[in-house]
Amino acid sequence: MSTQNKITKLLVANRGEIAIRIFKTCREMGIATVAVFSDADEHALFVRHADEAVRIGGKQPNESYLVIDKIIEAAKQTGANAIHPGYGFLSEKVEFAQRVIDGNIIWVGPHPQAIEVMGSKIGAKKIMQSHHVPTIPGYQGDDQSEATIKAKAIEIGFPVLLKASAGGGGKGMRIVRQKSELDKAINEAKSEALNGFGDDTLLIEKYFDTSRHVEFQIFGDKHGNALHLFERECSIQRRYQKVVEESPSPFITEDTRKKMGDAAVAACKAIQYDNAGTVEFIVATDQSFYFLEVNTRLQVEHPVTEEVTGLDLVRLQIEVAEGNAIPFKQEEIKQNGHAIEVRVYAEDAGNN
């Protein structure tokens, strides 16, 4: 491996728990670390965990952690030759990944084209179908007229889920159980999608009342290798946000695990994926499963996978970003024991 790909100083374009987590691995690998912080985070713990810290000003994320120019400038100012985006903020922004690469800084994440194609739920679904990965029956066509959306929803059969193509976090989503609810649901989902993401394109999916949400951790490198690090079950959710994550899933059989793992790797290879990612599936009560989406970043719940595989996913991300091949084969990875992560939600439920 040529020395120019060796990461010597890494800037984390994020804050809080994920920044501390990445700094920990960097310290073990002998890599110097840089934190960026907003005015609001001046005294935050993660700032003290880095070797250097750069103030990027502003109290709100859109004045600090979401400003690409400030982050690239901080990397140049400190001589950081790599940037890790963490999760959230700019982690799945194609423009950010491209700007990092164009600035001759090592991007610790998948290549921008993979982020771009997986950023559209419709585009992602079409790619998966062409690589024989099972997808949910639905409609993701260009004709977005209300008449077509209604006709397709009726054809798929209720209940259906209307979903913003550009969205996430439950925005622009409506479950429709009967024909009489369609008009209102389409209008609400479209306007929410337009306000939230600037794009009111909807897709329709068959809705499963009693399905499970199971995701597979995938990893690819720049040499065409791809594998999975088993599953995380995250069916216990509130407001479309995960609350409990565990591995292994207590629901899927060994046979289903093998088939889902193979499908996840096929998804990874379909887009020449070259870092950490997550392929999300829903699993019906009969163990049939369907592709949902690919998250092109490290997830909040990655420690669950680390606990049962004994692997350091951040170390693996860094090694792959440096141009190294994944140092083990699929059959060498084993699931040992059981791990659970629970998120604490700050919510005034009584006040919705």
Side-chain angles (χ1 to χ4, degrees), residues 20 114 171 205-206:
I20 292 172
K171 283 196 178 76
E205 285 175 353
K206 179 79 182 156

Side-chain angles (χ1 to χ4, degrees), residues 215 234 241-245 299-301 341-345:
E215 60 190 27
C234 37
Q241 297 291 330
K242 298 163 189 174
V243 181
V244 177
E245 286 122 1
Q299 300 264 97
V300 175
E301 58 273 24
E341 179 174 299
V342 181
R343 300 197 207 177
V344 178
Y345 274 87

Side-chain angles (χ1 to χ4, degrees), residues 83-311:
I83 290 179
H84 192 306
Y87 42 63
F89 292 142
L90 294 167
S91 63
E92 294 182 273
K93 278 269 182 287
V94 180
E95 187 200 344
F96 182 49
Q98 196 60 59
R99 287 277 303 277
V100 170
I101 293 163
D102 292 345
N104 286 322
I105 300 166
I106 297 167
W107 169 248
V108 185
H111 61 86
Q113 294 77 12
I115 299 173
E116 187 165 30
V117 295
M118 290 300 114
S120 157
K121 290 188 173 68
I122 290 176
K125 197 170 178 180
K126 285 177 178 165
I127 289 169
M128 294 309 143
Q129 286 166 343
S130 70
H131 285 78
H132 312 294
V133 177
T135 58
I136 300 167
Y139 172 73
Q140 61 266 2
D142 296 333
D143 183 352
Q144 286 285 309
S145 67
E146 200 172 318
T148 299
I149 290 173
K150 278 174 76 169
K152 292 293 179 185
I154 293 161
E155 194 182 302
I156 292 158
F158 300 101
V160 295
L161 181 65
L162 302 179
K163 204 169 172 185
S165 177
K171 283 196 178 76
M173 283 172 91
R174 290 292 182 279
I175 297 162
V176 188
R177 298 191 179 278
Q178 53 198 42
K179 192 177 170 182
S180 61
E181 299 170 3
L182 262 176
D183 289 342
K184 182 170 180 276
I186 292 168
N187 289 328
E188 286 177 358
K190 273 189 173 289
S191 98
E192 216 171 85
L194 195 60
N195 290 336
F197 316 109
D199 179 355
D200 70 353
T201 307
L202 296 183
L203 55 94
I204 315 168
E205 285 175 353
K206 179 79 182 156
Y207 182 73
F208 299 91
D209 268 312
T210 51
S211 63
R212 299 274 190 140
H213 190 133
V214 178
E215 60 190 27
F216 270 71
Q217 176 71 55
I218 54 167
F219 239 97
D221 63 24
K222 297 179 197 304
H223 304 274
N225 301 310
L227 42 74
H228 70 82
L229 307 178
F230 297 104
E231 83 282 1
R232 296 184 290 258
E233 161 110 30
C234 37
S235 302
I236 300 172
Q237 301 190 9
R238 174 159 173 78
R239 300 176 185 273
Y240 301 107
Q241 297 291 330
K242 298 163 189 174
V243 181
V244 177
E245 286 122 1
E246 64 180 311
S247 186
S249 160
F251 176 69
I252 62 172
T253 63
E254 209 43 64
D255 182 49
T256 304
R257 179 172 288 113
K258 168 86 174 74
K259 287 178 183 160
M260 289 180 79
D262 290 346
V265 173
C268 193
K269 287 185 167 169
I271 51 172
Q272 282 140 15
Y273 202 81
D274 61 344
N275 208 270
T278 304
V279 184
E280 301 200 9
F281 297 99
I282 63 164
V283 187
T285 45
D286 64 357
Q287 301 266 329
S288 61
F289 60 90
Y290 306 93
F291 169 84
L292 270 182
E293 62 183 334
V294 176
N295 292 305
T296 52
R297 56 177 161 76
L298 198 64
Q299 300 264 97
V300 175
E301 58 273 24
H302 76 273
V304 172
T305 296
E306 294 183 322
E307 288 292 332
V308 295
T309 60
L311 296 166

Side-chain angles (χ1 to χ4, degrees), residues 53-64:
V54 179
R55 182 192 289 274
I56 51 173
K59 285 258 197 290
Q60 299 300 323
N62 62 1
E63 303 166 313
S64 53

